């Protein structure tokens, strides 16, 4: 069946995405390329490239088999030491990031492509040198040494040394909290723009009491759908489908998952469920910008813990959240998808009020005793209210959060002067 083939192909694309986001994917590929390169240069050796270099550039090649074996062993051992130190440093910094910031930021640090390429470069050079060294026959004086391959191995080792210096500098900067937050900010903005671009401009539809409701059959986090496949199904079988759970919600069997404008056949239901992602995989900001909101908030809350005690970082996270909330103000809680002017799918998105209340609850719990951070939270709510896309319903939500914040602050801060300074800012109100 053609549709089934297409669905399987699209699922392979999702598996491919998981593979490419793994920290070991690029190093493994580059390591295999190192083995392949060693054998390819072996063919050049058979064609006499080392003989040519020995005749014209005698000084650049090693002519003694014993020296060649020692040098290649030395190079391979040096690269192994570099790799061990690099991995140890990565693990140490990741542990530090998890302790001081949030475990949720670790996938973003691990998936940095340039670091994977550097580690892949180490593995490429190590395997290349190893397989070149295997070809050396130290007990046969008549054997022509793979001089060109050994020269390439020396160049690769020098490259590894410079890459290692760059790696230390880069990983040290990547672990800095300002750079972590900037990276999350960049991903969140990209995700919001991508979400806005996918929304239908041609119309919408409304569900009714006659719509057939289908429930979940498994536990897990609802991670979204295969949008292309779902649009194809809805158009091919002439139905409209509305997904009831918002992305990132944990659902259980028997919980309402989606509803359709008509009852579906068993094969179609199976195809629909096949393209719904319910799993326990790590969160990806590019799949759902809400994850980015939560990561930033958790960094801010962790910064206010007694062990870290970093109010400056907490205030930076509040600034970023203020920007994020302004960006999602014009987005509706229902996202309609279309293909060829046919609007067939609607997705439920967590509302502005729900998301704001959830994140403010975390900050109120851990930051209500800090005057400066509390003032920053008030200013954030007021800043959002001044945005051109902020409607009256948004302002009502902001006022409610302001009242909750004031209630908690008054319970936690005893100094009347500090309380008065916060009340003074609150009096400016939300208009």
């Amino acid at each position: 069946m053609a549709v089934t083939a297409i669905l399987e192909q699209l699922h392979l694309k999702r598996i491919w995405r998981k593979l490419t986001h793994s920290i070991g994917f690029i190093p493994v590929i580059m390591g295999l390329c190192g083995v392949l390169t060693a054998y390819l240069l072996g063919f050049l050796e058979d064609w006499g490239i080392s003989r040519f270099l020995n005749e014209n550039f005698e000084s650049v090649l090693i002519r003694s088999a014993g020296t060649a074996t020692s040098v290649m062993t030395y190079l391979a051992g040096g690269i192994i030491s570099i790799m061990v130190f690099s991995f140890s440093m990565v693990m140490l910094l990741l542990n530090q990031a998890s302790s001081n910031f949030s475990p949720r930021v670790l996938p973003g640090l691990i998936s940095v492509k340039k670091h994977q390429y550097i580690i892949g470069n180490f593995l490429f050079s190590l395997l290349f040198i190893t397989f070149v060294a295997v070809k050396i026959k130290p007990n046969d004086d008549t054997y022509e040494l793979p001089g060109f391959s050994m020269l390439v191995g020396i160049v690769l080792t020098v490259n590894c040394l410079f890459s290692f210096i760059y790696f230390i500098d880069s990983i040290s900067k990547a672990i800095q909290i300002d750079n972590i937050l900037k990276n999350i900010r960049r991903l969140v903005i990209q995700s919001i723009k991508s979400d806005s671009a996918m929304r239908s401009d041609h119309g919408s539809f409304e569900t009714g009491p006659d719509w057939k409701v289908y429930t979940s059959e498994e536990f897990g986090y609802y991670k979204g759908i295969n949008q292309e496949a779902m649009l194809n199904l809805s158009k091919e079988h002439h139905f409209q489908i509305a997904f009831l759970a918002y992305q990132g919600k944990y659902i259980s069997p028997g919980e309402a998952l989606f509803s359709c404008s008509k009852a579906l056949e068993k094969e179609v239901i199976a195809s629909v469920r096949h393209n719904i992602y319910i799993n326990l995989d790590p969160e990806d900001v590019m799949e759902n910008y809400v994850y980015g909101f939560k990561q930033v908030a958790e960094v801010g809350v962790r910064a206010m813990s007694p062990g870290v005690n970093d109010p400056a970082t907490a205030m930076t996270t509040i600034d970023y959240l203020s920007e994020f909330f302004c960006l999602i103000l014009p987005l509706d809680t229902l996202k309609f998808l279309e293909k060829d002017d046919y609007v067939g799918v609607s997705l439920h998105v967590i509302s502005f009020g729900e998301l704001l209340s959830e994140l403010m609850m975390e900050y109120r719990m851990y930051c209500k005793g800090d005057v400066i951070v509390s003032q920053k939270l008030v200013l954030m709510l007021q800043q959002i209210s001044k945005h051109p896309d902020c409607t009256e319903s948004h302002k009502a939500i902001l006022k409610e959060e302001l009242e909750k914040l004031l209630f908690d602050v008054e319970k936690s801060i005893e100094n009347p002067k500090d309380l008065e300074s916060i009340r003074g800012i609150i009096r400016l109100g939300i208009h």
Side-chain angles (χ1 to χ4, degrees):
M1 186 177 178
V3 174
T4 304
I6 293 174
L7 294 176
E8 291 176 353
Q9 181 181 1
L10 292 171
H11 269 273
L12 287 176
K13 290 172 64 176
R14 184 174 177 85
I15 295 173
W16 174 255
R17 182 178 180 180
K18 289 182 180 180
L19 287 175
T20 54
H21 279 68
S22 170
I23 188 174
F25 178 76
I26 293 177
V28 168
I29 296 298
M30 293 184 67
L32 295 176
C33 290
V35 177
L36 180 62
T37 303
Y39 280 101
L40 290 178
L41 290 187
F43 289 110
L44 294 179
E45 299 289 353
D46 295 336
W47 292 342
I49 188 171
S50 291
R51 188 180 307 111
F52 171 79
L53 291 175
N54 192 36
E55 294 173 356
N56 296 275
F57 306 95
E58 182 178 353
S59 61
V60 301
L61 298 183
I62 300 174
R63 306 182 65 180
S64 169
T67 302
T69 302
S70 299
V71 169
M72 299 305 284
T73 303
Y74 165 76
L75 295 180
I79 294 177
I80 291 176
S81 299
I82 290 176
M83 290 184 64
V84 171
F85 186 82
S86 298
F87 279 109
S88 300
M89 185 175 183
V90 169
M91 294 300 104
L92 178 64
L93 292 177
L94 291 179
N95 181 63
Q96 180 183 349
S98 177
S99 301
N100 294 343
F101 309 136
S102 169
R104 293 180 182 272
V105 305
L106 297 187
L109 295 175
I110 292 174
S111 62
V112 176
K113 295 298 181 184
K114 59 182 179 182
H115 296 158
Q116 296 184 32
Y117 280 114
I118 293 173
I119 295 174
N121 181 38
F122 296 158
L123 194 58
F124 175 95
S125 303
L126 175 62
L127 293 178
F128 174 84
I129 291 173
T130 301
F131 279 85
V132 169
V134 169
K135 300 178 183 179
I136 300 175
K137 300 178 181 178
N139 297 325
D140 189 355
D141 295 334
T142 63
Y143 176 73
E144 185 175 325
L145 294 173
F148 178 69
S149 298
M150 291 188 293
L151 179 62
V152 172
I154 294 173
V155 173
L156 289 174
T157 304
V158 174
N159 178 56
C160 286
L161 292 175
F162 285 105
S163 299
F164 178 64
I165 296 172
Y166 175 77
F167 179 79
I168 294 176
D169 177 70
S170 179
I171 197 74
S172 300
K173 291 179 179 177
I175 205 66
Q176 295 175 8
I177 187 58
D178 289 338
N179 293 327
I180 292 175
L181 291 175
K182 287 178 182 177
N183 184 55
I184 297 175
R185 174 185 177 273
R186 176 181 57 83
L187 294 176
V188 169
I189 293 176
Q190 288 181 4
S191 182
I192 292 175
K193 290 181 178 179
S194 176
D195 181 87
S196 302
M198 288 189 299
R199 293 173 182 250
S200 171
D201 295 328
H202 294 88
S204 59
F205 57 82
E206 294 183 359
T207 61
D210 56 335
W211 280 46
K212 175 68 174 177
V213 177
Y214 296 89
T215 59
S216 171
E217 296 181 343
E218 56 185 319
F219 288 99
Y221 291 99
Y222 168 66
K223 294 297 185 66
I225 62 171
N226 187 326
Q227 298 184 5
E228 183 70 22
M230 203 65 69
L231 283 169
N232 290 335
L233 281 171
S234 65
K235 187 175 182 180
E236 179 183 352
H237 296 281
H238 307 289
F239 66 85
Q240 291 175 316
I241 183 170
F243 289 88
L244 308 177
Y246 61 82
Q247 196 170 353
K249 181 182 179 182
Y250 189 82
I251 59 177
S252 58
E255 186 173 352
L257 182 58
F258 63 92
S259 62
C260 289
S261 55
K262 66 177 185 180
L264 304 179
E265 298 178 357
K266 290 184 178 180
E267 292 184 358
V268 180
I269 295 175
S271 298
V272 169
R273 293 188 183 278
H274 185 65
N275 287 280
I276 300 175
Y277 304 132
I278 300 175
N279 51 54
L280 300 176
D281 291 342
E283 301 171 345
D284 188 347
V285 176
M286 288 306 298
E287 291 183 354
N288 185 6
Y289 58 79
V290 175
Y291 299 150
F293 281 67
K294 293 181 178 179
Q295 286 182 11
V296 171
E298 288 181 6
V299 170
V301 170
R302 180 68 68 88
M304 292 304 298
S305 65
V308 179
N309 192 22
D310 185 10
T313 296
M315 295 174 68
T316 301
T317 62
I318 294 172
D319 287 333
Y320 285 171
L321 287 175
S322 177
E323 178 183 8
F324 297 163
F325 279 115
C326 288
L327 290 174
I328 68 170
L329 282 173
L331 301 181
D332 296 326
T333 56
L334 289 179
K335 177 170 66 175
F336 295 92
L337 307 179
E338 67 173 78
K339 183 175 183 180
D340 301 329
D341 297 334
Y342 179 77
V343 183
V345 179
S346 75
L347 302 175
H348 179 57
V349 182
I350 187 171
S351 68
F352 171 85
E354 290 176 301
L355 185 57
L356 179 65
S357 177
E358 180 179 339
L359 299 186
M360 283 294 297
M361 194 179 301
E362 295 183 25
Y363 277 96
R364 292 201 319 269
M365 177 65 66
Y366 295 97
C367 307
K368 58 189 177 184
D370 190 286
V371 178
I372 298 177
V373 178
S374 298
Q375 289 177 341
K376 193 69 174 179
L377 289 171
V378 174
L379 292 173
M380 180 190 77
L381 298 175
Q382 292 176 340
Q383 184 178 5
I384 297 172
S385 70
K386 297 176 183 177
H387 194 273
D389 293 321
C390 188
T391 64
E392 292 301 322
S393 60
H394 291 138
K395 291 180 181 179
I397 295 171
L398 294 170
K399 289 179 181 178
E400 182 179 353
E401 292 301 324
L402 197 60
E403 292 174 359
K404 294 178 183 177
L405 177 60
L406 178 60
F407 179 84
D408 287 341
V409 167
E410 290 178 337
K411 294 285 187 179
S412 302
I413 299 177
E414 298 179 356
N415 192 308
K417 295 293 184 180
D418 289 337
L419 279 175
E420 185 57 32
S421 67
I422 296 176
R423 291 192 185 106
I425 300 175
I426 293 177
R427 289 193 194 102
L428 297 176
I430 294 177
H431 304 289

